Coordinates of all heavy atoms in Angstrom, one line a residue:
M1 N -26.0 226.1 185.3 CA -27.6 226.2 185.7 C -28.2 226.6 184.4 O -27.7 227.4 183.6 CB -27.7 227.2 186.7 CG -29.2 227.3 187.1 SD -29.6 228.5 188.4 CE -29.0 227.6 189.8
K2 N -29.2 226.0 184.1 CA -30.1 226.4 182.8 C -31.6 226.4 183.2 O -32.1 225.7 184.1 CB -29.9 225.6 181.7 CG -30.2 224.1 181.9 CD -29.9 223.3 180.6 CE -30.1 221.8 180.8 NZ -29.8 221.2 179.6
I3 N -32.3 227.3 182.6 CA -33.8 227.4 182.8 C -34.3 226.9 181.4 O -34.0 227.5 180.3 CB -34.2 228.8 183.1 CG1 -33.5 229.2 184.4 CG2 -35.7 228.9 183.2 CD1 -33.8 230.8 184.7
V4 N -35.2 225.9 181.5 CA -35.8 225.4 180.2 C -37.3 225.7 180.3 O -37.9 225.4 181.2 CB -35.8 223.8 180.2 CG1 -36.3 223.3 178.9 CG2 -34.2 223.5 180.1
I5 N -37.9 226.4 179.2 CA -39.3 226.7 179.3 C -39.9 226.0 177.9 O -39.4 226.1 176.9 CB -39.4 228.3 179.0 CG1 -38.7 229.0 180.1 CG2 -41.0 228.6 178.8 CD1 -38.7 230.5 179.9
S6 N -40.8 225.2 178.2 CA -41.5 224.4 177.0 C -43.0 224.8 177.0 O -43.6 225.0 177.9 CB -41.2 223.0 177.3 OG -41.9 222.5 178.6
Q7 N -43.4 224.7 175.7 CA -44.9 224.9 175.5 C -45.4 223.6 174.6 O -44.5 222.9 174.2 CB -45.1 226.2 174.6 CG -44.7 227.5 175.3 CD -44.9 228.7 174.5 OE1 -45.2 228.6 173.4 NE2 -44.6 229.9 175.1
N8 N -46.7 223.6 174.6 CA -47.1 222.4 174.0 C -46.8 222.2 172.6 O -46.5 221.2 172.1 CB -48.8 222.6 174.2 CG -49.4 221.2 174.0 OD1 -48.8 220.1 174.0 ND2 -50.8 221.2 173.9
R9 N -47.0 223.3 171.7 CA -46.8 223.0 170.3 C -45.6 224.0 169.8 O -45.5 224.2 168.6 CB -48.0 223.6 169.6 CG -49.2 222.6 169.8 CD -50.3 222.9 168.9 NE -51.3 221.9 169.1 CZ -52.6 222.2 169.4 NH1 -53.0 223.5 169.5 NH2 -53.5 221.3 169.6
A10 N -44.7 224.3 170.8 CA -43.6 225.2 170.3 C -42.3 224.5 170.8 O -42.4 223.7 171.7 CB -43.7 226.5 170.9
P11 N -41.2 224.7 170.1 CA -39.9 224.2 170.6 C -39.5 224.8 171.9 O -40.0 225.9 172.3 CB -38.9 224.7 169.4 CG -39.6 225.8 168.8 CD -41.0 225.6 169.0
R12 N -38.7 223.9 172.6 CA -38.2 224.4 174.0 C -37.4 225.6 173.8 O -36.7 225.7 172.7 CB -37.5 223.3 174.6 CG -38.3 222.2 175.1 CD -37.4 221.3 175.9 NE -37.7 219.9 175.5 CZ -37.1 218.9 176.0 NH1 -36.1 219.1 176.8 NH2 -37.5 217.7 175.7
F13 N -37.4 226.5 174.8 CA -36.5 227.6 174.9 C -35.7 227.5 176.2 O -36.3 227.2 177.3 CB -37.4 228.9 175.0 CG -36.7 230.1 175.1 CD1 -35.9 230.7 174.0 CD2 -36.7 230.9 176.4 CE1 -35.2 231.9 174.2 CE2 -36.0 232.1 176.4 CZ -35.3 232.5 175.4
W14 N -34.5 227.5 176.1 CA -33.7 227.4 177.3 C -32.7 228.7 177.5 O -32.1 229.2 176.4 CB -32.9 226.1 177.4 CG -31.9 225.8 176.3 CD1 -32.0 225.4 175.1 CD2 -30.6 226.0 176.5 NE1 -30.8 225.3 174.4 CE2 -29.9 225.7 175.3 CE3 -29.7 226.6 177.6 CZ2 -28.5 225.7 175.1 CZ3 -28.2 226.5 177.4 CH2 -27.6 226.1 176.2
I15 N -32.4 229.0 178.7 CA -31.7 230.2 179.1 C -30.5 229.6 180.0 O -30.7 229.1 181.1 CB -32.4 231.1 179.9 CG1 -33.6 231.6 179.0 CG2 -31.6 232.4 180.1 CD1 -34.7 232.4 179.7
P16 N -29.2 229.7 179.5 CA -28.1 229.4 180.4 C -27.9 230.5 181.4 O -27.9 231.6 181.1 CB -27.0 229.1 179.5 CG -27.3 230.0 178.3 CD -28.8 230.0 178.2
V17 N -27.7 230.1 182.7 CA -27.5 231.1 183.6 C -26.2 230.8 184.4 O -26.2 229.7 184.9 CB -28.7 231.2 184.7 CG1 -28.4 232.1 185.8 CG2 -30.0 231.5 184.0
P18 N -25.2 231.6 184.4 CA -23.9 231.3 185.1 C -24.3 231.0 186.6 O -24.9 232.0 187.3 CB -23.1 232.4 184.9 CG -23.6 233.2 183.8 CD -25.0 232.8 183.8
A19 N -23.9 229.9 187.3 CA -24.1 229.7 188.7 C -23.3 230.7 189.4 O -23.8 231.0 190.6 CB -23.5 228.2 188.9
A20 N -22.3 231.3 189.1 CA -21.5 232.3 189.8 C -22.3 233.5 190.1 O -22.0 234.3 190.9 CB -20.1 232.6 189.1
L21 N -23.2 233.8 189.0 CA -24.1 235.0 189.1 C -24.9 234.9 190.4 O -25.2 235.8 191.0 CB -24.8 235.2 187.8 CG -25.8 236.4 187.9 CD1 -24.9 237.6 187.7 CD2 -26.7 236.3 186.6
L22 N -25.5 233.7 190.6 CA -26.4 233.4 191.7 C -25.7 233.2 193.1 O -26.4 233.2 194.2 CB -27.3 232.2 191.4 CG -28.0 232.5 190.1 CD1 -28.9 231.1 189.8 CD2 -29.1 233.6 190.2
T23 N -24.4 232.8 193.0 CA -23.8 232.4 194.3 C -22.7 233.6 194.7 O -21.8 233.1 195.4 CB -23.2 231.0 194.3 OG1 -22.4 231.0 193.2 CG2 -24.3 230.0 194.1
S24 N -22.6 234.6 194.1 CA -21.7 235.6 194.3 C -21.9 236.4 195.6 O -23.0 236.2 196.3 CB -21.6 236.6 193.2 OG -22.8 237.4 193.1
A25 N -20.9 237.2 196.0 CA -21.0 238.0 197.4 C -22.1 239.1 197.0 O -23.0 239.3 198.1 CB -19.8 238.6 197.6
L26 N -22.3 239.6 196.0 CA -23.4 240.6 195.7 C -24.8 239.9 195.8 O -25.7 240.4 196.5 CB -23.3 241.1 194.2 CG -24.4 242.2 193.8 CD1 -24.4 243.4 194.7 CD2 -24.2 242.5 192.3
S27 N -25.0 238.7 195.3 CA -26.2 238.0 195.5 C -26.5 237.7 196.9 O -27.7 237.7 197.4 CB -26.1 236.6 194.7 OG -26.1 236.8 193.3
A28 N -25.5 237.3 197.7 CA -25.6 237.1 199.1 C -26.1 238.3 199.8 O -27.0 238.3 200.6 CB -24.3 236.6 199.8
R29 N -25.5 239.5 199.4 CA -26.1 240.8 200.1 C -27.5 241.0 199.7 O -28.2 241.5 200.6 CB -25.1 241.9 199.6 CG -25.4 243.2 200.1 CD -24.9 243.3 201.5 NE -25.3 244.7 201.9 CZ -25.6 245.0 203.2 NH1 -25.6 244.1 204.1 NH2 -25.9 246.3 203.4
V30 N -27.8 240.8 198.5 CA -29.2 241.0 197.9 C -30.2 240.2 198.8 O -31.3 240.5 199.2 CB -29.3 240.9 196.5 CG1 -30.9 240.9 196.1 CG2 -28.6 242.1 195.7
M31 N -29.8 238.9 198.9 CA -30.6 237.8 199.6 C -30.9 238.3 201.1 O -31.8 238.2 201.6 CB -30.0 236.5 199.5 CG -30.7 235.5 200.3 SD -30.0 233.8 200.1 CE -28.6 234.1 201.1
Q32 N -29.7 238.7 201.7 CA -29.8 239.2 203.1 C -30.7 240.3 203.3 O -31.6 240.4 204.2 CB -28.4 239.5 203.6 CG -28.4 240.1 205.0 CD -27.2 240.8 205.4 OE1 -26.3 241.1 204.5 NE2 -27.0 241.3 206.6
E33 N -30.6 241.3 202.4 CA -31.5 242.4 202.5 C -33.0 242.1 202.3 O -33.9 242.6 203.0 CB -31.2 243.6 201.4 CG -29.8 244.3 201.7 CD -29.8 245.0 203.1 OE1 -31.0 245.7 203.3 OE2 -28.8 245.0 203.7
A34 N -33.2 241.2 201.3 CA -34.7 240.8 201.0 C -35.2 240.1 202.2 O -36.4 240.1 202.7 CB -34.6 239.9 199.8
L35 N -34.3 239.1 202.9 CA -34.8 238.3 203.9 C -35.1 239.3 205.2 O -36.0 239.1 205.9 CB -33.8 237.3 204.3 CG -33.9 235.9 203.3 CD1 -32.7 235.0 203.5 CD2 -35.2 235.3 203.2
N36 N -34.2 240.2 205.3 CA -34.2 241.1 206.5 C -35.6 242.0 206.4 O -36.2 242.2 207.4 CB -33.1 242.0 206.7 CG -32.0 241.3 207.1 OD1 -32.1 240.1 207.8 ND2 -30.8 241.8 207.1
Q37 N -35.9 242.3 205.2 CA -37.2 243.1 204.9 C -38.5 242.2 205.2 O -39.6 242.7 205.6 CB -37.3 243.6 203.5 CG -36.3 244.7 203.2 CD -36.4 245.2 201.8 OE1 -37.2 244.7 200.9 NE2 -35.6 246.3 201.5
Q38 N -38.3 241.0 205.0 CA -39.4 240.1 205.3 C -39.6 239.6 206.8 O -40.4 238.8 207.1 CB -39.3 238.8 204.3 CG -39.4 239.1 202.8 CD -40.8 239.6 202.5 OE1 -41.7 239.2 203.0 NE2 -40.8 240.6 201.6
G39 N -38.6 240.0 207.5 CA -38.7 239.6 208.9 C -37.7 238.6 209.3 O -37.6 238.1 210.5
W40 N -36.9 238.0 208.5 CA -35.9 236.9 208.8 C -34.6 237.6 209.1 O -34.0 238.2 208.0 CB -35.8 236.0 207.6 CG -37.0 235.2 207.4 CD1 -38.0 235.6 206.7 CD2 -37.3 233.9 207.7 NE1 -39.0 234.5 206.6 CE2 -38.6 233.4 207.2 CE3 -36.5 232.9 208.4 CZ2 -39.1 232.2 207.5 CZ3 -37.1 231.7 208.6 CH2 -38.3 231.4 208.2
Q41 N -34.1 237.7 210.2 CA -32.9 238.3 210.5 C -31.7 237.3 210.4 O -31.5 236.5 211.1 CB -32.9 238.8 211.9 CG -33.9 239.9 212.2 CD -33.8 241.0 211.3 OE1 -32.8 241.6 211.1 NE2 -35.0 241.5 210.9
I42 N -30.9 237.6 209.3 CA -29.7 236.8 209.0 C -28.5 237.7 208.9 O -28.7 238.9 208.4 CB -29.8 235.8 207.9 CG1 -30.0 236.6 206.5 CG2 -30.9 234.8 208.0 CD1 -29.9 235.8 205.3
S43 N -27.3 237.3 209.2 CA -26.2 238.1 209.0 C -25.5 238.0 207.7 O -26.0 237.0 207.0 CB -25.0 237.8 210.1 OG -24.6 236.5 209.8
S44 N -24.7 239.0 207.3 CA -24.0 238.7 205.9 C -23.1 237.5 206.0 O -23.1 236.8 204.9 CB -23.2 240.0 205.7 OG -22.1 240.1 206.7
A45 N -22.6 237.1 207.1 CA -21.9 235.9 207.1 C -22.6 234.6 206.9 O -22.2 233.7 206.1 CB -21.1 235.7 208.4
Q46 N -23.8 234.6 207.3 CA -24.8 233.5 207.1 C -25.3 233.5 205.7 O -25.3 232.4 205.1 CB -26.0 233.6 208.0 CG -25.7 233.3 209.5 CD -27.0 233.6 210.2 OE1 -27.7 234.6 210.1 NE2 -27.1 232.9 211.2
A47 N -25.4 234.6 205.0 CA -25.8 234.7 203.6 C -24.6 234.2 202.7 O -24.8 233.5 201.8 CB -26.3 236.1 203.3
K48 N -23.4 234.6 203.1 CA -22.4 234.2 202.3 C -22.1 232.6 202.5 O -21.8 232.0 201.5 CB -21.1 234.8 202.7 CG -21.0 236.3 202.3 CD -19.8 237.0 202.7 CE -19.9 238.5 202.5 NZ -18.7 239.2 202.9
L49 N -22.3 232.2 203.7 CA -22.2 230.7 203.9 C -23.2 229.9 203.1 O -22.9 228.9 202.6 CB -22.3 230.4 205.4 CG -21.9 229.0 205.8 CD1 -20.6 228.5 205.5 CD2 -22.4 228.8 207.3
F50 N -24.4 230.3 203.1 CA -25.5 229.8 202.3 C -25.2 229.7 200.7 O -25.2 228.7 200.2 CB -26.9 230.6 202.5 CG -27.9 229.8 201.7 CD1 -28.6 228.7 202.0 CD2 -28.3 230.6 200.6 CE1 -29.6 228.1 201.2 CE2 -29.3 229.9 199.8 CZ -30.0 228.7 200.1
C51 N -24.7 230.8 200.2 CA -24.3 230.9 198.9 C -23.2 229.9 198.6 O -23.2 229.3 197.5 CB -24.0 232.3 198.4 SG -25.5 233.5 198.2
Q52 N -22.3 229.9 199.4 CA -21.2 228.8 199.2 C -21.5 227.5 199.3 O -21.1 226.7 198.5 CB -20.0 229.1 200.4 CG -18.8 228.4 200.2 CD -17.8 228.8 201.3 OE1 -18.2 229.1 202.4 NE2 -16.6 228.3 201.0
A53 N -22.5 227.2 200.2 CA -23.0 225.8 200.3 C -23.9 225.5 198.8 O -23.7 224.4 198.5 CB -24.1 225.7 201.3
V54 N -24.6 226.4 198.4 CA -25.3 226.2 197.1 C -24.3 226.0 196.1 O -24.4 225.1 195.1 CB -26.2 227.4 196.7 CG1 -26.7 227.2 195.4 CG2 -27.4 227.3 197.8
R55 N -23.2 226.7 196.0 CA -22.2 226.7 195.0 C -21.5 225.3 195.1 O -21.4 224.6 194.1 CB -21.1 227.7 195.1 CG -20.1 227.8 194.1 CD -19.0 228.9 194.2 NE -19.7 229.9 194.8 CZ -19.0 230.6 195.9 NH1 -17.9 230.3 196.3 NH2 -19.7 231.6 196.4
D56 N -21.2 224.8 196.2 CA -20.6 223.5 196.4 C -21.4 222.3 196.0 O -21.1 221.4 195.4 CB -20.1 223.3 197.9 CG -19.0 224.3 198.3 OD1 -18.3 224.7 197.4 OD2 -18.7 224.4 199.5
F57 N -22.8 222.6 196.4 CA -23.7 221.4 196.1 C -23.8 221.4 194.5 O -23.9 220.3 194.0 CB -25.1 221.7 196.7 CG -26.2 220.7 196.3 CD1 -26.2 219.6 197.1 CD2 -27.0 220.9 195.3 CE1 -27.1 218.7 196.9 CE2 -28.0 219.9 195.0 CZ -28.1 218.8 195.9
G58 N -23.8 222.5 193.8 CA -24.0 222.5 192.3 C -22.8 221.9 191.7 O -22.9 221.3 190.7
R59 N -21.6 222.1 192.3 CA -20.4 221.5 191.8 C -20.5 219.9 191.8 O -20.0 219.2 190.9 CB -19.1 222.0 192.4 CG -18.9 223.3 192.0 CD -17.6 224.0 192.6 NE -17.4 225.3 192.3 CZ -16.6 226.0 193.0 NH1 -16.1 225.7 194.2 NH2 -16.4 227.3 192.6
E60 N -21.0 219.4 193.0 CA -21.1 217.9 193.2 C -22.2 217.3 192.5 O -22.1 216.0 192.2 CB -21.1 217.7 194.7 CG -19.9 218.1 195.4 CD -19.8 217.9 196.9 OE1 -20.9 217.1 197.4 OE2 -19.2 218.5 197.7
H61 N -23.2 217.9 192.3 CA -24.4 217.4 191.9 C -25.0 218.1 190.5 O -26.1 218.6 190.4 CB -25.6 217.4 192.9 CG -25.2 216.8 194.1 ND1 -25.2 215.4 194.3 CD2 -24.8 217.2 195.3 CE1 -24.8 215.0 195.4 NE2 -24.7 216.2 196.1
R62 N -24.2 218.0 189.5 CA -24.5 218.6 188.2 C -25.9 217.8 187.6 O -25.9 216.6 187.7 CB -23.5 218.5 187.1 CG -22.3 219.3 187.4 CD -22.3 220.5 186.6 NE -20.9 221.1 186.9 CZ -21.0 222.5 187.1 NH1 -22.1 223.1 187.2 NH2 -20.0 223.1 187.4
G63 N -26.8 218.7 187.1 CA -27.9 218.1 186.5 C -29.1 217.9 187.5 O -30.2 217.4 187.2
W64 N -28.9 218.4 188.8 CA -29.9 218.3 189.8 C -31.2 219.2 189.4 O -30.9 220.3 189.1 CB -29.4 218.6 191.1 CG -30.3 218.5 192.2 CD1 -31.2 219.3 192.7 CD2 -30.4 217.4 193.1 NE1 -31.9 218.8 193.8 CE2 -31.4 217.6 194.1 CE3 -29.7 216.2 193.2 CZ2 -31.7 216.7 195.0 CZ3 -30.0 215.2 194.2 CH2 -31.1 215.6 195.0
V65 N -32.4 218.6 189.3 CA -33.5 219.4 188.9 C -34.0 220.3 190.3 O -34.4 219.5 191.2 CB -34.6 218.5 188.5 CG1 -35.9 219.4 188.1 CG2 -34.1 217.8 187.1
L66 N -34.0 221.5 190.2 CA -34.4 222.3 191.3 C -36.0 222.6 191.2 O -36.7 222.5 192.2 CB -33.7 223.7 191.3 CG -32.2 223.6 191.5 CD1 -31.7 224.9 191.4 CD2 -31.8 223.1 193.0
V67 N -36.5 222.8 190.1 CA -37.9 223.1 189.8 C -38.3 222.4 188.6 O -37.7 222.5 187.6 CB -38.1 224.7 189.6 CG1 -39.6 224.9 189.5 CG2 -37.7 225.4 191.0
D68 N -39.5 221.9 188.6 CA -40.0 221.2 187.5 C -41.6 221.5 187.6 O -42.2 220.7 188.3 CB -39.7 219.7 187.3 CG -40.1 219.1 186.0 OD1 -40.5 219.8 185.2 OD2 -40.1 217.8 185.9
V69 N -42.1 222.4 186.9 CA -43.5 222.7 187.0 C -44.1 222.6 185.6 O -43.6 223.1 184.6 CB -43.7 224.2 187.5 CG1 -45.1 224.6 187.5 CG2 -43.0 224.5 188.8
K70 N -45.3 221.9 185.5 CA -46.1 221.8 184.3 C -47.5 222.1 184.6 O -48.1 221.9 185.5 CB -46.0 220.2 183.9 CG -44.5 219.9 183.4 CD -44.5 218.5 182.8 CE -43.0 218.3 182.4 NZ -42.9 217.1 181.5
A71 N -48.0 222.9 183.7 CA -49.4 223.4 183.7 C -50.3 222.5 182.9 O -49.8 221.6 182.1 CB -49.5 224.8 183.2
S72 N -51.7 222.6 183.2 CA -52.5 221.7 182.4 C -52.6 221.9 181.0 O -53.0 221.0 180.1 CB -53.9 221.8 183.1 OG -54.4 223.2 182.9
D73 N -52.2 223.0 180.5 CA -52.2 223.3 179.1 C -50.9 222.9 178.4 O -50.8 223.0 177.1 CB -52.4 224.7 178.7 CG -51.4 225.7 179.3 OD1 -50.4 225.2 180.0 OD2 -51.4 226.9 179.1
G74 N -50.0 222.3 179.1 CA -48.8 221.7 178.5 C -47.5 222.6 178.6 O -46.5 222.2 178.2
T75 N -47.6 223.8 179.0 CA -46.5 224.5 179.3 C -45.8 224.1 180.5 O -46.4 223.6 181.4 CB -46.9 226.0 179.4 OG1 -47.7 226.3 180.5 CG2 -47.5 226.6 178.1
G76 N -44.4 224.4 180.5 CA -43.7 223.9 181.7 C -42.4 224.8 181.8 O -41.9 225.3 180.8
V77 N -41.9 224.7 183.1 CA -40.6 225.4 183.5 C -39.7 224.4 184.2 O -40.4 223.8 185.1 CB -40.9 226.7 184.2 CG1 -39.4 227.2 184.6 CG2 -41.6 227.7 183.4
K78 N -38.6 224.3 183.9 CA -37.6 223.4 184.6 C -36.4 224.1 184.8 O -35.8 224.8 183.9 CB -37.3 222.1 183.7 CG -36.5 221.0 184.4 CD -36.2 219.9 183.5 CE -37.1 218.8 183.8 NZ -36.5 217.6 183.0
I79 N -35.9 224.0 186.1 CA -34.6 224.8 186.4 C -33.6 223.6 186.9 O -34.0 223.0 187.8 CB -34.7 225.8 187.6 CG1 -35.7 226.9 187.1 CG2 -33.4 226.4 188.0 CD1 -36.1 227.9 188.2
V80 N -32.6 223.6 186.2 CA -31.5 222.4 186.4 C -30.3 223.1 186.8 O -29.7 224.0 186.1 CB -31.4 221.5 185.2 CG1 -30.4 220.5 185.2 CG2 -32.7 221.1 184.8
L81 N -29.5 222.5 187.8 CA -28.2 222.9 188.2 C -27.2 222.5 187.1 O -27.3 221.5 186.5 CB -27.8 222.3 189.5 CG -28.2 223.1 190.8 CD1 -27.7 222.3 192.0 CD2 -27.6 224.5 190.9

């Protein structure tokens, strides 16, 4: 996974992010706690299953664009699996 930040007159800046960091058991626990605080009741098994599904999807679909946002001034952010 990588995060690409671009500006109108500057070179692109990209940050590599290990997909395992976002799909680990710790991330599932953090996600579960955050969703429970927002009123969405999910179990730890559901959170782990979701992270596992995201990991499997990322393995099968490398290069999938998750977010592609561009502002009117030419700046943009792109998140790619």
Side-chain angles (χ1 to χ4, degrees):
M1 178 179 287
K2 64 181 174 180
I3 301 171
V4 180
I5 302 168
S6 60
Q7 294 180 357
N8 198 11
R9 294 188 177 128
R12 285 189 224 175
F13 178 70
W14 65 278
I15 305 167
V17 177
L21 181 68
L22 300 175
T23 59
S24 67
L26 177 63
S27 297
R29 179 73 178 157
V30 170
M31 179 181 67
Q32 177 198 7
E33 290 295 322
L35 289 173
N36 287 341
Q37 287 177 358
Q38 296 296 322
W40 295 78
Q41 298 301 319
I42 65 168
S43 67
S44 62
Q46 288 173 324
K48 288 178 185 177
L49 184 64
F50 176 77
C51 286
Q52 184 179 18
V54 169
R55 184 178 332 131
D56 293 341
F57 183 83
R59 286 181 183 155
E60 292 178 17
H61 303 284
R62 294 257 182 230
W64 186 275
V65 178
L66 296 174
V67 176
D68 189 7
V69 179
K70 293 188 180 186
S72 61
D73 64 352
T75 59
V77 174
K78 183 186 265 189
I79 301 176
V80 180
L81 273 179

